[in-house]
Amino acid sequence: MIKGLPLGANTVRGGVAAGIIAILASGVQADEPERTIETYGGWELQCVRLPDTVDGAVRACEIVQTMQLQGQSQPLTRLAIGRPAPQADLVAVLQLPLGMWLPVGVTFDLGSEAGRHLAELRRCLPMGCLAELALNDTILTALRQDPEGESAIEFAMQPDDPARVPLVHRGFAAAFDAMGRKMSPE
């Protein structure tokens, strides 16, 4: 609960999540990409086909979970997981609300087994503040192994106003595996 407002069910919204696909798609004509969206539990797999000079096309994909407050149409937070380039390591990009208290930072809490991981704040844009976290095996295993589990994004809106926004694991493994299949060469 944040400021007395209950979180709504974690809902997935259309639109490109902060960071990964936006970076890859820069400079591409609007009619060139073929965009697909698939839903897996609390996660959404978003892919776009981009032109490639060697093989004809390359697919950029990410899995996304969007959280919002009940009664609000705008997302409170958005988590996108993908690769900023085809051979790059996996990265989580967190989109957070403008006005957050920056000195507190952003933590990805995976519970007692996998622990807490500090995400690096990168920048604030009109759509929100962006933080990044390199994903390691500990994080991925925690998200995959407990489909009924819940993690959280923690940040603060004011020095004494902590926010803990839940992330559901339901559908993560299926979405992650589907992303791997979509990104492999055809």
Side-chain angles (χ1 to χ4, degrees):
M1 189 175 292
I2 300 171
K3 282 279 203 197
L5 296 173
L7 283 174
N10 289 343
T11 56
V12 180
R13 296 280 180 192
V16 177
I20 300 166
I21 288 180
I23 292 169
L24 290 171
S26 62
V28 176
Q29 298 295 327
D31 59 345
E32 290 175 340
E34 172 193 323
R35 185 162 176 240
T36 60
I37 299 172
E38 299 170 15
T39 302
Y40 297 86
W43 294 84
E44 186 175 85
L45 171 63
Q46 300 177 359
C47 294
V48 64
R49 183 176 296 282
L50 304 172
D52 181 276
T53 57
V54 179
D55 298 327
V58 65
R59 209 179 256 153
C61 296
E62 64 185 359
I63 54 177
V64 179
Q65 188 172 128
T66 303
M67 291 66 60
Q68 65 191 76
L69 295 173
Q70 284 181 344
Q72 300 291 315
S73 60
Q74 295 299 315
L76 175 66
T77 62
R78 181 175 287 145
L79 171 64
I81 295 174
R83 299 179 191 280
Q87 301 305 317
D89 291 335
L90 284 167
V91 174
V93 177
L94 299 160
Q95 179 184 336
L96 302 147
L98 288 172
M100 66 173 284
W101 185 250
L102 297 175
V104 173
V106 180
T107 303
F108 192 30
D109 183 1
L110 291 163
S112 60
E113 297 270 329
R116 298 164 53 86
H117 303 270
L118 186 63
E120 186 176 340
L121 282 163
R122 294 291 190 181
R123 67 190 65 81
C124 290
L125 302 169
M127 66 185 198
C129 294
L130 302 178
E132 290 183 12
L133 176 67
L135 296 180
N136 58 37
D137 289 339
T138 301
I139 296 170
L140 292 172
T141 300
L143 291 169
R144 291 179 68 89
Q145 285 188 340
D146 185 5
E148 297 306 314
E150 194 174 273
S151 300
I153 297 172
E154 297 174 337
F155 59 96
M157 293 307 293
Q158 297 295 324
D160 296 324
D161 186 16
R164 181 175 171 86
V165 180
L167 297 171
V168 296
H169 296 195
R170 186 184 73 258
F172 177 84
F176 187 81
D177 293 343
M179 180 174 66
R181 287 189 302 274
K182 297 255 185 191
M183 302 256 323
S184 53
E186 297 176 2

